[in-house]
Amino acid sequence: MSEINLLDRYPRSCRDIASRAAAVADQREVAKRFGREYFDGDRGQGYGGYRYDGRWVPIAERLRDHYGLAAGQRVLDVGCAKGFLLHDLRRVVPGICVAGLDVSAYALGQAMDDVRGSVVRGSAERLPFASRAFDLVVSINTVHNLDRPACVEALREIERVSRRHRYVQVDSWLTDEQRAKFERWQLTAATYSDPEGWRRLFREAGYGGDYYWTITE
Ligand SMILES: C[S@@+](CC[C@H](N)C(=O)[O-])C[C@H]1O[C@@H](n2cnc3c(N)ncnc32)[C@H](O)[C@@H]1O
C-alpha cells in the first residue's frame, strides 16, 4: 500500500471556483443524479461536457508502466463513466482485458464503442465480479461520492475483486485553503477528509491498495 500520484500527467483543471460556488447550492442535487446534466450539461452542475480528448492516454501509460500491465491481464475501472480510461488502456496495452462499472446509465449509454460491451451498471459498494478476478482495480474520483458506510463497503469490494493491484483516488486537501475551496466547489462528494482521515477509513475497510488525492487548487 503506498501513497503515489498516478494521475500526475493528468492536465490540471481550470475550475472556475468563484462562479461555481455561486451556483453550487442549487445544482448539487442535479449533479448527484449523474445524468446528462452532470456530464454534458453546463459547467455549474458538473463537467460541462465530458468528451474524449485523449487526456487519459498518459494515465493509461503510467498505470501500464507502474503495474507492469500486459496482454491477457484484467483491469476493472470502478466509476468508469464513458469508458475513456478503459479505451486508452486498450490502446496502450494491446490485448488487455478491461471491465468497467458505473452507476450512471447516461454515461454508460455514451460509452466508447470498443468498451461498450465491457461496462455494466451498478454501484461500487456491490461489485458484480468474482473475488480476485482482476490484476488491477482502479477507482478515480468515485468512492467519495458514497456515504461513509457505503464508501467503506466500496473499498472492501475493490480489495475483494483484486488479486494484485488497486489504485484509488479521492477528494482531499493538504491545507486549510484547499479544504475551503473544495467545500465551496464540490458538487457530489459525500465522504471526504484530510489524508489522515482517509488512511483511517482505508484501515477500517481493510483496503491495502495504492491511493492518492484529488486536491482543489
Ligand atoms: C467525477 S466522476 C469520475 C469519472 C472517471 N472515473 C474520471 O475520473 O473521469 C465520478 C463517477 O462516479 C460515478 N459514480 C457515482 N456514484 C457511484 C456509485 N455509487 N457507484 C459507481 N459509480 C458511481 C459517476 O457516475 C461518475 O461517472
Side-chain angles (χ1 to χ4, degrees), residues 76-79 124 137-143 158 167-170:
L76 171 67
D77 184 3
V78 177
V137 182
V138 297
S139 187
I140 296 167
N141 296 332
T142 295
V143 300
I158 288 169
Y167 179 78
V168 163
Q169 181 144 337
V170 286

Side-chain angles (χ1 to χ4, degrees), residues 34 38-39 47 50 56 79 81 102-104 123-124 140-142 146:
F34 297 107
Y38 175 71
F39 291 96
Y47 282 97
Y50 187 64
W56 290 97
D102 202 284
V103 80
S104 170
S123 191
I140 296 167
N141 296 332
T142 295
L146 284 70

Side-chain angles (χ1 to χ4, degrees), residues 42-68:
D42 70 58
R43 185 78 180 99
Q45 56 205 15
Y47 282 97
Y50 187 64
R51 296 180 202 92
Y52 181 77
D53 59 8
R55 71 177 53 193
W56 290 97
V57 171
I59 315 306
E61 290 170 344
R62 187 86 163 89
L63 292 168
R64 175 198 64 197
D65 297 345
H66 186 75
Y67 293 118

Side-chain angles (χ1 to χ4, degrees), residues 162-174:
S162 156
R163 59 179 163 238
R164 252 178 120 199
H165 305 297
R166 321 111 309 316
Y167 179 78
V168 163
Q169 181 144 337
V170 286
D171 280 332
S172 191
W173 54 81
L174 302 176

